[in-house]
Amino acid sequence: MKTIDIIRTGTPETPGYNDTFAIIENGIELLAGRLSTEPNPYQPGTLKPWVDVYARIAEGLYVWELIPNHPKYGRCILINGGGDVPTLNPNPNHNRAYVASEIFGHRGDTATWRGSRGCITVSPIDEEVFFKVFKDGEKGKLIIRKAV
């Protein structure tokens, strides 16, 4: 079983992909690089700050499943089966509860704009290499840790 181990160093306000990850299987590191666990800094169109419109998922232990051809995200990972994931902020999309659902790991929009309302995003530059590590339908563990 593969584990995606993420160390969070970014913030929603910081552009780009500032968190580090390692994909590990049987104690062997298969791939390491950068991605983001952060939502967009603001909502395009309205320019409302992230905290008023998005969720920031909490550090913790989760499960994932590789979805080979999602209608919106293409090849992606689904976190906790699409069910609840705890958040660090009251989520305006869930009656201000500290929870989000339908959280994915997917390709970001550009090298600097994540295109995330709360999902984990991989830079388009790294997308192909990242998702090649996984088999269709594969399941594993996800760890998000705060940098010390």
Side-chain angles (χ1 to χ4, degrees):
M1 175 189 314
K2 292 183 182 101
T3 299
I4 305 169
D5 188 5
I6 300 172
I7 299 175
R8 174 179 267 160
T9 56
T11 67
E13 296 80 11
T14 309
Y17 305 84
N18 300 296
D19 303 326
T20 59
F21 75 88
I23 300 171
I24 302 160
E25 185 174 36
N26 299 322
I28 298 168
E29 185 177 285
L30 304 176
L31 183 68
R34 296 196 160 282
L35 50 63
S36 178
T37 59
E38 306 300 340
N40 294 329
Y42 57 87
Q43 183 179 52
T46 69
L47 302 183
K48 289 181 182 178
W50 75 270
V51 75
D52 292 340
V53 290
Y54 302 136
R56 187 177 187 216
I57 59 175
E59 292 86 12
L61 176 62
Y62 307 101
V63 295
W64 58 263
E65 177 180 356
L66 191 285
I67 307 298
N69 195 18
H70 186 272
K72 181 175 182 181
Y73 301 121
R75 193 165 179 83
C76 64
I77 56 175
L78 178 62
I79 311 303
N80 281 359
D84 289 349
V85 173
T87 64
L88 296 172
N89 64 301
N91 185 350
N93 302 301
H94 283 270
N95 295 317
R96 308 218 44 88
Y98 283 78
V99 68
S101 58
E102 295 296 313
I103 298 295
F104 291 86
H106 62 82
R107 175 188 193 272
D109 285 356
T110 71
T112 55
W113 185 258
R114 294 180 290 268
S116 170
R117 296 177 299 174
C119 291
I120 296 166
T121 50
V122 178
S123 169
I125 296 165
D126 302 321
E127 169 200 20
E128 188 175 334
V129 171
F130 181 86
F131 286 109
K132 261 189 186 174
V133 173
F134 307 108
K135 297 179 183 103
D136 293 357
E138 182 176 10
K139 297 179 181 184
K141 290 190 317 185
L142 169 69
I143 302 167
I144 301 175
R145 299 182 285 144
K146 189 175 187 176
V148 232

